[in-house]
């Protein structure tokens, strides 16, 4: 056991994805991760927080369970929320450009399932199989619509296109024509593809959090497990990915940890404590 205050990581910021990273494959927090995070914060005075596609509401229980104090990244970078002062420090709306793209997608793929995450609300279009499951997991206030024009247009943080993997592959090819035209895209699973405002991602938001708390970018670390964490890893000084991450993630990681079921976040924190 390292003695308290034998080292200080007060000038470090470590950021973790939640599902498949902080939590295991059945969305449970391994005790090893919990213990390592508390030690990093309490014994080493380190800064630790979370980055996720979740909203304020669904992030809160994970944030409070760990008794964190650093602002968190939500909606894959569209928002930065300060739970200590209950204040949104930044929120990037997808805007008219993204809404116009959704309208065009519906013309070409009229049965595509769509979930629109607007701060702490979900709007569903063509909700059949995938959208209700994902929305239910988020535990957010949800409204379903059949007509695009009926959907409220304020504060769209991100849009999630949902369907069978083969269908999402076709959709991704279609959406490539819009990349850089006021929006950006990220793959979050084989059955989902997400759209955010241009230059909005977990990585850019992570560095903004570092700036807010006064941590230099050279002492930032992050860990994730899938391509929606790619920009998070690409922006920090010490990128790490879980053992089950796809090859493309491992290629940009400086540290490949154990599988998320075994405590991947603990591997990263222990690596920092031993090597810096």
């Amino acid at each position: 056991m390292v003695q308290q205050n034998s080292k200080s990581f007060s000038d470090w910021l470590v950021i973790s994805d939640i599902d498949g990273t902080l939590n295991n494959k059945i969305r449970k927090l391994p005790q090893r991760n919990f213990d390592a995070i508390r030690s990093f914060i309490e014994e080493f005075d380190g800064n630790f927080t979370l980055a996720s596609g979740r909203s304020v509401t669904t992030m809160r229980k994970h944030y409070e369970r760990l008794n964190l104090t650093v602002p968190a990244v939500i909606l894959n970078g569209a928002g930065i929320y300060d739970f200590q002062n209950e204040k949104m420090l930044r929120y990037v709306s997808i805007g008219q450009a993204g809404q116009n793209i959704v309208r065009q997608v519906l013309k070409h793929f009229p049965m595509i399932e769509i979930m629109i995450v607007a701060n702490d609300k979900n709007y569903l279009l063509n909700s059949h199989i995938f959208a209700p499951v994902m929305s239910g997991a988020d535990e957010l206030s949800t409204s379903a619509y059949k007509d695009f024009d009926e959907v409220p247009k304020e504060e769209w943080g991100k849009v999630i296109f949902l369907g069978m993997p083969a269908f999402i592959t076709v959709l991704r090819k279609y959406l490539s024509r819009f990349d850089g035209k006021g929006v950006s895209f990220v793959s979050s699973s084989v059955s989902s593809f997400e759209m955010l405002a241009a230059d909005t991602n977990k990585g850019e938001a992570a560095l903004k959090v570092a700036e807010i708390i006064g941590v230099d970018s050279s002492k930032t670390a992050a860990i994730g497990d899938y391509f929606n964490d790619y920009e998070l890893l690409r922006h920090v000084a010490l990128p790490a990915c879980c053992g089950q991450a796809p090859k493309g993630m491992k290629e940009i990681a400086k540290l490949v940890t154990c599988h998320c079921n075994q405590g991947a976040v603990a591997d990263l924190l222990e690596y920092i404590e031993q090597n810096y």
Side-chain angles (χ1 to χ4, degrees):
M1 177 67 69
V2 177
Q3 294 299 312
Q4 188 170 4
N5 297 323
S6 61
K7 279 186 178 181
S8 173
F9 290 95
S10 60
D11 56 349
W12 273 77
L13 171 64
V14 180
I15 300 182
S16 174
D17 172 49
I18 296 180
D19 295 317
T21 304
L22 175 73
N23 289 344
N24 61 24
K25 284 296 186 179
I26 58 172
R27 296 194 170 195
K28 300 295 183 182
L29 175 65
Q31 185 65 42
R32 181 171 174 241
N33 281 348
F34 179 84
D35 293 342
I37 292 166
R38 295 316 311 158
S39 175
F40 184 71
I41 294 171
E42 295 172 1
E43 296 183 28
F44 294 99
D45 201 26
N47 299 293
F48 184 93
T49 195
L50 303 172
S52 176
R54 296 170 181 266
S55 66
V56 171
T57 298
T58 55
M59 178 77 90
R60 184 180 301 279
K61 62 182 179 181
H62 303 282
Y63 186 94
E64 292 180 346
R65 172 177 55 179
L66 297 170
N67 195 26
L68 304 179
T69 59
V70 177
V73 173
I74 63 169
L75 297 179
N76 283 346
I80 298 174
Y81 193 79
D82 180 355
F83 284 95
Q84 303 302 304
N85 296 298
E86 299 296 350
K87 180 180 180 181
M88 187 75 76
L89 302 181
R90 188 187 73 162
Y91 187 85
V92 183
S93 171
I94 206 166
Q96 189 66 51
Q99 293 173 5
N100 289 340
I101 290 170
V102 171
R103 188 187 293 274
Q104 292 182 60
V105 167
L106 285 167
K107 288 181 180 179
H108 285 81
F109 306 94
M111 295 309 293
I112 181 70
E113 292 190 53
I114 298 175
M115 186 166 80
I116 299 158
V117 184
N119 204 337
D120 264 14
K121 301 175 184 176
N122 282 344
Y123 305 130
L124 307 183
L125 278 166
N126 293 333
S127 177
H128 299 297
I129 301 171
F130 294 94
V133 171
M134 178 169 284
S135 183
D138 281 348
E139 301 174 359
L140 285 182
S141 172
T142 301
S143 298
Y145 300 89
K146 293 183 178 180
D147 190 328
F148 172 82
D149 291 325
E150 296 176 352
V151 181
K153 302 302 189 293
E154 296 79 18
E155 295 189 318
W156 286 19
K158 67 175 178 176
V159 175
I160 310 174
F161 302 101
L162 298 152
M164 296 296 291
F167 181 73
I168 293 299
T169 298
V170 174
L171 177 68
R172 288 176 62 175
K173 184 176 180 180
Y174 172 79
L175 288 172
S176 65
R177 70 188 66 187
F178 301 111
D179 201 3
K181 297 181 178 180
V183 297
S184 59
F185 298 97
V186 62
S187 176
S188 48
S189 77
V190 294
S191 59
S192 61
F193 198 58
E194 302 186 6
M195 179 172 67
L196 300 101
D199 302 317
T200 300
N201 56 68
K202 289 182 181 180
E204 187 269 338
L207 293 188
K208 185 64 178 178
V209 172
E211 179 184 328
I212 289 170
I213 67 172
V215 169
D216 189 84
S217 61
S218 65
K219 293 189 175 180
T220 55
I223 183 168
D225 72 305
Y226 201 69
F227 291 112
N228 54 332
D229 302 315
Y230 188 91
E231 290 297 326
L232 175 62
L233 269 60
R234 196 177 69 81
H235 278 72
V236 299
L238 175 56
C241 70
C242 303
Q244 82 278 6
K247 181 180 178 182
M249 294 293 288
K250 292 178 179 177
E251 288 175 348
I252 64 166
K254 291 182 179 179
L255 175 68
V256 177
T257 70
C258 62
H259 191 285
C260 67
N261 291 350
Q262 300 166 336
V265 173
D267 269 7
L268 172 59
L269 295 176
E270 290 169 6
Y271 178 85
I272 293 171
E273 292 162 7
Q274 294 166 11
N275 292 278
Y276 292 91

